[in-house]
Amino acid sequence: MRSNRSTRLAERLARWADLVGAGIFAVLFLSLVVQVVRRFVFGAPAAWTEELAAIAFVWVIFWGTAFTVPLHVHVAVDFVVPRFAPFARRVLYALGLAVLAGCFLWALPGIADYLRFMGRERTPVLELPYSIAYSVFFAAAIMVVLRCAAAIAFPPDPARSGESEKA
């Protein structure tokens, strides 16, 4: 069982992650609004808004996957597992998480190498290093591994996660 202090810390971190995700989405939305206004009101489109929106889109997707969307909300295909007894479901859940974490662990060196390689290239308009533009994928991969490990160590309460213990 988690302590009260660690639960409060986890709640604060989750709140912070939600706010950062909302901020990234606001950047995405505002850059699209600026683009529409510049293009259709002033007749002078701005290339930087398209590039910023594309980078923000990548960031909001991977940030949400890594930090804000609970594991039980992610898309899952479970035709067979719900038919098993509760203990078997927990074992299969842990096994699936372990495989997912293993895949991301296996991919981490390649992701890091790719980001290091892409650090030489810059985005066309904003001239950001691609390693910064796509660094969120490395963070997302690490967080997927950590969240899988945490879910294995501290399985979710079926009543809270939307699953039922009924066979």
Side-chain angles (χ1 to χ4, degrees), residues 89-155:
R89 280 187 290 202
R90 284 190 292 274
V91 168
L92 290 171
Y93 177 73
L95 182 63
L97 289 172
V99 168
L100 180 63
C103 289
F104 275 93
L105 274 174
W106 175 78
L108 276 176
I111 295 168
D113 185 49
Y114 183 72
L115 288 174
R116 203 171 19 259
F117 170 75
M118 289 305 290
R120 295 177 250 199
E121 300 290 327
R122 296 191 171 270
T123 61
V125 179
L126 297 174
E127 296 186 10
L128 290 172
Y130 275 112
S131 58
I132 291 175
Y134 296 114
S135 62
V136 70
F137 187 63
F138 188 75
I142 290 172
M143 281 307 297
V144 167
V145 170
L146 294 175
R147 289 178 72 188
C148 287
I152 291 169
F154 306 105

XYZ file of all heavy atoms in Angstrom, residues 89-155:
519
model
N -6.476 -13.307 -14.776
C -6.514 -12.001 -15.434
C -5.384 -11.110 -14.952
O -4.751 -10.420 -15.752
C -7.844 -11.307 -15.176
C -8.939 -11.817 -16.077
C -10.163 -11.006 -15.895
N -10.697 -11.323 -14.559
C -11.937 -11.142 -14.191
N -12.790 -10.594 -15.011
N -12.342 -11.465 -13.004
N -5.126 -11.117 -13.647
C -4.031 -10.297 -13.108
C -2.689 -10.759 -13.656
O -1.833 -9.949 -14.000
C -4.039 -10.326 -11.581
C -5.132 -9.451 -10.986
C -4.980 -9.291 -9.487
N -5.223 -10.517 -8.753
C -6.400 -10.938 -8.349
N -7.474 -10.208 -8.599
N -6.530 -12.063 -7.685
N -2.507 -12.089 -13.757
C -1.248 -12.625 -14.292
C -1.093 -12.236 -15.761
O -0.015 -11.791 -16.181
C -1.185 -14.161 -14.102
C -0.039 -14.767 -14.893
C -1.062 -14.508 -12.629
N -2.146 -12.363 -16.542
C -2.089 -12.001 -17.954
C -1.882 -10.494 -18.140
O -1.156 -10.067 -19.041
C -3.349 -12.463 -18.682
C -3.477 -13.987 -18.844
C -4.858 -14.344 -19.368
C -2.387 -14.507 -19.755
N -2.497 -9.705 -17.286
C -2.305 -8.254 -17.314
C -0.834 -7.922 -17.057
O -0.225 -7.148 -17.790
C -3.214 -7.617 -16.254
C -3.089 -6.124 -16.112
C -3.594 -5.271 -17.083
C -2.510 -5.561 -14.987
C -3.501 -3.901 -16.952
C -2.405 -4.191 -14.841
C -2.913 -3.365 -15.824
O -2.804 -2.006 -15.680
N -0.257 -8.532 -16.028
C 1.151 -8.294 -15.698
C 2.058 -8.781 -16.826
O 3.042 -8.121 -17.167
C 1.508 -8.977 -14.384
N 1.743 -9.920 -17.413
C 2.537 -10.445 -18.516
C 2.493 -9.504 -19.722
O 3.519 -9.214 -20.340
C 2.039 -11.841 -18.906
C 2.796 -12.546 -20.014
C 4.234 -12.807 -19.581
C 2.105 -13.850 -20.376
N 1.312 -9.005 -20.050
C 1.175 -8.059 -21.154
C 1.960 -6.780 -20.901
O 2.632 -6.260 -21.801
N 1.895 -6.286 -19.672
C 2.660 -5.086 -19.326
C 4.155 -5.342 -19.405
O 4.922 -4.487 -19.852
C 2.284 -4.597 -17.930
C 0.888 -3.983 -17.794
C 0.571 -3.722 -16.326
C 0.774 -2.714 -18.607
N 4.583 -6.526 -18.965
C 6.009 -6.863 -19.018
C 6.501 -6.931 -20.469
O 7.593 -6.462 -20.784
C 6.266 -8.184 -18.298
N 5.693 -7.498 -21.350
C 6.065 -7.559 -22.774
C 6.134 -6.156 -23.366
O 7.084 -5.814 -24.084
C 5.067 -8.451 -23.554
C 5.255 -8.307 -25.051
C 5.216 -9.903 -23.128
N 5.145 -5.322 -23.048
C 5.144 -3.949 -23.544
C 6.371 -3.193 -23.045
O 7.065 -2.528 -23.819
C 3.867 -3.232 -23.105
C 3.720 -1.781 -23.548
C 3.656 -1.680 -25.065
C 2.482 -1.173 -22.916
N 6.656 -3.305 -21.748
C 7.830 -2.633 -21.183
C 9.107 -3.166 -21.828
O 10.026 -2.393 -22.123
C 7.869 -2.825 -19.670
N 9.177 -4.468 -22.055
C 10.349 -5.063 -22.694
C 10.567 -4.528 -24.097
O 11.707 -4.246 -24.501
N 9.486 -4.364 -24.847
C 9.605 -3.808 -26.208
C 10.148 -2.386 -26.173
O 11.028 -2.023 -26.966
C 8.253 -3.837 -26.908
S 7.696 -5.486 -27.367
N 9.637 -1.586 -25.261
C 10.126 -0.212 -25.160
C 11.556 -0.163 -24.643
O 12.340 0.678 -25.087
C 9.186 0.640 -24.310
C 8.050 1.215 -25.098
C 6.840 0.548 -25.185
C 8.178 2.413 -25.761
C 5.794 1.059 -25.917
C 7.141 2.946 -26.505
C 5.944 2.264 -26.582
N 11.900 -1.037 -23.709
C 13.296 -1.098 -23.245
C 14.227 -1.471 -24.392
O 15.318 -0.916 -24.529
C 13.438 -2.116 -22.108
C 13.163 -1.613 -20.709
C 13.206 -2.777 -19.718
C 14.143 -0.531 -20.307
N 13.803 -2.428 -25.187
C 14.599 -2.856 -26.338
C 14.787 -1.702 -27.318
O 15.841 -1.559 -27.938
C 13.915 -4.045 -27.014
C 14.577 -4.485 -28.270
C 15.703 -5.238 -28.394
C 14.153 -4.181 -29.607
N 15.997 -5.428 -29.730
C 15.062 -4.789 -30.492
C 13.072 -3.459 -30.128
C 14.941 -4.684 -31.864
C 12.956 -3.368 -31.498
C 13.886 -3.979 -32.349
N 13.760 -0.854 -27.474
C 13.814 0.240 -28.440
C 14.583 1.458 -27.934
O 15.017 2.290 -28.747
C 12.396 0.659 -28.827
N 14.775 1.600 -26.634
C 15.404 2.807 -26.081
C 16.763 3.145 -26.687
O 16.989 4.306 -27.049
C 15.506 2.711 -24.559
C 14.264 3.121 -23.784
C 14.467 2.894 -22.296
C 13.877 4.554 -24.060
N 17.689 2.185 -26.809
C 18.978 2.556 -27.414
C 18.841 3.080 -28.843
O 19.518 4.030 -29.227
C 19.787 1.251 -27.381
C 19.160 0.439 -26.310
C 17.704 0.804 -26.315
N 17.964 2.482 -29.622
C 17.742 2.948 -30.991
C 17.124 4.341 -31.027
O 17.496 5.173 -31.857
N 16.203 4.595 -30.115
C 15.583 5.923 -30.036
C 16.643 6.965 -29.683
O 16.732 8.024 -30.306
C 14.437 5.934 -29.003
C 13.298 5.021 -29.451
C 13.922 7.357 -28.788
C 12.269 4.755 -28.371
N 17.454 6.648 -28.678
C 18.507 7.583 -28.256
C 19.506 7.825 -29.386
O 19.911 8.969 -29.635
C 19.219 7.046 -27.019
N 19.871 6.771 -30.096
C 20.806 6.912 -31.203
C 20.209 7.773 -32.316
O 20.888 8.634 -32.890
C 21.187 5.526 -31.728
C 22.255 5.593 -32.794
O 23.281 6.277 -32.557
O 22.076 4.975 -33.858
N 18.947 7.553 -32.613
C 18.280 8.335 -33.654
C 18.211 9.810 -33.260
O 18.460 10.697 -34.081
C 16.880 7.781 -33.934
C 16.176 8.496 -35.045
C 16.569 8.320 -36.363
C 15.119 9.353 -34.777
C 15.926 8.992 -37.394
C 14.471 10.025 -35.802
C 14.886 9.838 -37.107
O 14.245 10.505 -38.119
N 17.860 10.080 -32.009
C 17.793 11.471 -31.558
C 19.170 12.134 -31.609
O 19.293 13.301 -31.980
C 17.209 11.553 -30.147
C 15.714 11.271 -30.042
C 15.286 11.246 -28.581
C 14.907 12.286 -30.827
N 20.193 11.389 -31.232
C 21.558 11.921 -31.301
C 21.921 12.235 -32.764
O 22.479 13.280 -33.060
C 22.530 10.900 -30.699
C 23.812 11.456 -30.217
C 24.668 10.482 -29.422
N 24.399 9.061 -29.554
C 23.707 8.335 -28.662
N 23.212 8.898 -27.593
N 23.516 7.045 -28.855
N 21.577 11.330 -33.663
C 21.837 11.536 -35.084
C 21.068 12.753 -35.615
O 21.611 13.577 -36.351
C 21.439 10.276 -35.863
C 21.428 10.457 -37.346
C 22.617 10.522 -38.063
C 20.227 10.566 -38.029
C 22.608 10.690 -39.433
C 20.209 10.738 -39.395
C 21.399 10.803 -40.108
N 19.807 12.878 -35.244
C 18.966 13.966 -35.750
C 19.310 15.319 -35.129
O 18.812 16.346 -35.575
C 17.486 13.651 -35.530
C 16.966 12.538 -36.428
S 17.232 12.838 -38.182
C 16.089 14.159 -38.491
N 20.159 15.335 -34.098
C 20.587 16.591 -33.508
C 21.365 17.454 -34.479
O 21.490 18.663 -34.296
N 21.881 16.853 -35.537
C 22.637 17.599 -36.555
C 21.727 18.367 -37.501
O 22.130 19.351 -38.090
C 23.493 16.647 -37.383
C 24.569 15.967 -36.588
C 25.287 15.011 -37.472
N 24.928 13.672 -37.006
C 25.594 12.597 -37.276
N 26.638 12.652 -38.053
N 25.230 11.446 -36.791
N 20.517 17.860 -37.651
C 19.559 18.476 -38.578
C 18.655 19.446 -37.819
O 18.377 19.258 -36.645
C 18.699 17.395 -39.242
C 19.484 16.387 -40.036
C 20.073 16.965 -41.296
O 19.438 17.858 -41.892
O 21.166 16.529 -41.683
N 18.184 20.452 -38.537
C 17.306 21.449 -37.928
C 15.995 21.526 -38.709
O 15.958 21.245 -39.898
C 17.989 22.806 -37.901
C 19.217 22.805 -37.018
C 19.743 24.199 -36.791
N 20.778 24.185 -35.784
C 20.562 24.330 -34.482
N 19.345 24.499 -34.030
N 21.567 24.306 -33.622
N 14.938 21.945 -38.011
C 13.657 22.132 -38.686
C 13.787 23.283 -39.679
O 14.566 24.213 -39.459
C 12.538 22.412 -37.665
O 12.835 23.612 -36.956
C 12.351 21.257 -36.708
N 13.047 23.243 -40.774
C 13.251 24.220 -41.852
C 12.989 25.678 -41.474
O 13.707 26.567 -41.920
C 12.264 23.780 -42.937
C 11.861 22.413 -42.595
C 12.084 22.223 -41.144
N 11.979 25.947 -40.673
C 11.596 27.333 -40.424
C 12.071 27.823 -39.054
O 12.727 28.846 -38.944
C 10.062 27.502 -40.549
C 9.648 28.934 -40.271
C 9.597 27.070 -41.926
N 11.736 27.084 -38.010
C 12.112 27.506 -36.660
C 13.571 27.203 -36.332
O 14.100 27.711 -35.351
C 11.197 26.834 -35.633
C 9.712 27.196 -35.721
C 8.907 26.358 -34.744
C 9.512 28.671 -35.456
N 14.178 26.349 -37.131
C 15.576 25.940 -36.967
C 15.870 25.317 -35.602
O 16.939 25.499 -35.034
C 16.518 27.109 -37.255
C 16.429 27.568 -38.694
C 17.450 28.630 -39.045
O 18.357 28.901 -38.242
O 17.325 29.187 -40.150
N 14.889 24.568 -35.093
C 15.100 23.785 -33.875
C 15.806 22.493 -34.250
O 15.495 21.892 -35.284
C 13.762 23.421 -33.227
C 12.953 24.516 -32.586
C 11.587 23.969 -32.194
C 13.671 25.041 -31.365
N 16.722 22.019 -33.418
C 17.294 20.700 -33.708
C 16.184 19.636 -33.650
O 15.341 19.666 -32.754
C 18.311 20.495 -32.586
C 18.569 21.848 -32.033
C 17.330 22.650 -32.260
N 16.192 18.741 -34.606
C 15.178 17.681 -34.611
C 15.256 16.844 -33.343
O 14.256 16.264 -32.919
C 15.333 16.784 -35.838
C 14.632 17.311 -37.058
C 15.360 17.763 -38.147
C 13.248 17.356 -37.128
C 14.723 18.244 -39.278
C 12.599 17.837 -38.248
C 13.343 18.271 -39.321
O 12.709 18.754 -40.432
N 16.428 16.764 -32.732
C 16.550 15.996 -31.498
C 15.699 16.609 -30.396
O 15.166 15.881 -29.551
C 18.011 15.917 -31.053
O 18.548 17.214 -30.874
N 15.518 17.912 -30.404
C 14.643 18.560 -29.421
C 13.185 18.388 -29.836
O 12.321 18.095 -29.011
C 15.002 20.051 -29.265
C 16.364 20.168 -28.584
C 13.925 20.791 -28.475
C 16.884 21.577 -28.485
N 12.920 18.556 -31.127
C 11.549 18.443 -31.616
C 10.956 17.066 -31.313
O 9.763 16.954 -31.028
C 11.495 18.720 -33.113
N 11.781 16.028 -31.352
C 11.274 14.669 -31.143
C 11.763 14.022 -29.850
O 11.561 12.831 -29.643
C 11.628 13.792 -32.349
C 10.944 14.266 -33.595
C 11.669 14.777 -34.660
C 9.559 14.241 -33.695
C 11.030 15.236 -35.796
C 8.919 14.700 -34.824
C 9.648 15.196 -35.876
O 9.015 15.653 -36.986
N 12.363 14.793 -28.962
C 12.857 14.231 -27.707
C 11.739 13.697 -26.822
O 11.973 12.839 -25.965
C 13.668 15.273 -26.938
O 12.851 16.377 -26.604
N 10.535 14.163 -27.030
C 9.409 13.689 -26.229
C 9.187 12.188 -26.427
O 8.695 11.516 -25.531
C 8.125 14.495 -26.550
C 7.595 14.181 -27.932
C 7.067 14.252 -25.490
N 9.581 11.651 -27.572
C 9.400 10.211 -27.790
C 10.287 9.402 -26.857
O 9.869 8.363 -26.346
C 9.667 9.829 -29.245
C 9.332 8.398 -29.528
C 8.029 7.941 -29.408
C 10.307 7.496 -29.885
C 7.710 6.616 -29.644
C 9.996 6.171 -30.124
C 8.700 5.735 -30.006
N 11.498 9.871 -26.595
C 12.383 9.187 -25.658
C 11.783 9.226 -24.253
O 11.739 8.210 -23.552
C 13.774 9.830 -25.676
C 14.795 9.069 -24.887
C 15.325 7.889 -25.373
C 15.228 9.539 -23.663
C 16.267 7.178 -24.648
C 16.165 8.844 -22.928
C 16.689 7.663 -23.421
N 11.288 10.400 -23.854
C 10.643 10.526 -22.545
C 9.413 9.632 -22.457
O 9.168 8.986 -21.427
C 10.264 11.982 -22.282
N 8.651 9.564 -23.540
C 7.456 8.717 -23.552
C 7.832 7.247 -23.409
O 7.178 6.503 -22.672
C 6.660 8.943 -24.834
N 8.871 6.817 -24.095
C 9.298 5.418 -24.004
C 9.734 5.074 -22.583
O 9.371 4.015 -22.055
C 10.428 5.148 -24.995
N 10.482 5.967 -21.959
C 10.907 5.719 -20.574
C 9.697 5.663 -19.644
O 9.590 4.785 -18.789
C 11.902 6.806 -20.116
C 13.231 6.639 -20.850
C 12.125 6.751 -18.604
C 14.209 7.753 -20.624
N 8.767 6.575 -19.826
C 7.593 6.595 -18.957
C 6.702 5.378 -19.168
O 6.100 4.888 -18.214
C 6.794 7.883 -19.161
C 7.383 9.074 -18.454
S 7.681 8.803 -16.684
C 6.028 8.545 -16.088
N 6.601 4.888 -20.382
C 5.812 3.676 -20.613
C 6.424 2.518 -19.832
O 5.713 1.745 -19.167
C 5.702 3.352 -22.117
C 5.179 1.946 -22.343
C 4.804 4.360 -22.806
N 7.752 2.405 -19.856
C 8.432 1.350 -19.100
C 8.163 1.526 -17.610
O 7.801 0.559 -16.915
C 9.953 1.353 -19.391
C 10.692 0.431 -18.438
C 10.218 0.959 -20.830
N 8.314 2.736 -17.105
C 8.104 2.977 -15.668
C 6.651 2.759 -15.257
O 6.381 2.184 -14.200
C 8.551 4.392 -15.305
C 10.041 4.674 -15.427
C 10.329 6.151 -15.145
C 10.844 3.781 -14.492
N 5.721 3.197 -16.088
C 4.305 3.001 -15.754
C 3.917 1.533 -15.800
O 3.110 1.075 -14.991
C 3.425 3.823 -16.701
C 3.536 5.320 -16.410
C 2.729 6.128 -17.364
N 1.301 5.965 -17.062
C 0.333 6.437 -17.819
N 0.614 7.085 -18.932
N -0.921 6.266 -17.487
N 4.487 0.787 -16.739
C 4.227 -0.657 -16.779
C 4.777 -1.327 -15.528
O 4.105 -2.169 -14.911
C 4.836 -1.286 -18.028
S 3.962 -0.906 -19.554
N 5.989 -0.963 -15.141
C 6.600 -1.542 -13.934
C 5.772 -1.192 -12.707
O 5.531 -2.051 -11.842
C 8.032 -1.046 -13.780
N 5.304 0.049 -12.619
C 4.482 0.457 -11.479
C 3.150 -0.297 -11.454
O 2.672 -0.701 -10.394
C 4.243 1.960 -11.514
N 2.552 -0.492 -12.635
C 1.276 -1.211 -12.694
C 1.440 -2.683 -12.352
O 0.520 -3.308 -11.818
C 0.650 -1.051 -14.075
N 2.603 -3.248 -12.649
C 2.866 -4.635 -12.258
C 3.080 -4.709 -10.745
O 2.537 -5.577 -10.067
C 4.081 -5.205 -13.016
C 3.747 -5.374 -14.497
C 4.510 -6.550 -12.420
C 4.943 -5.674 -15.377
N 3.871 -3.770 -10.207
C 4.172 -3.767 -8.771
C 2.953 -3.401 -7.936
O 2.745 -3.958 -6.858
C 5.313 -2.798 -8.484
N 2.162 -2.451 -8.434
C 0.966 -2.004 -7.727
C -0.226 -2.127 -8.668
O -0.632 -1.140 -9.284
C 1.113 -0.544 -7.279
C 2.345 -0.277 -6.473
C 3.430 0.377 -7.045
C 2.433 -0.676 -5.154
C 4.568 0.631 -6.318
C 3.570 -0.431 -4.415
C 4.641 0.219 -4.991
N -0.800 -3.319 -8.808
C -1.903 -3.507 -9.764
C -3.065 -2.568 -9.452
O -3.339 -2.275 -8.284
C -2.324 -4.964 -9.562
C -1.218 -5.603 -8.818
C -0.499 -4.535 -8.072
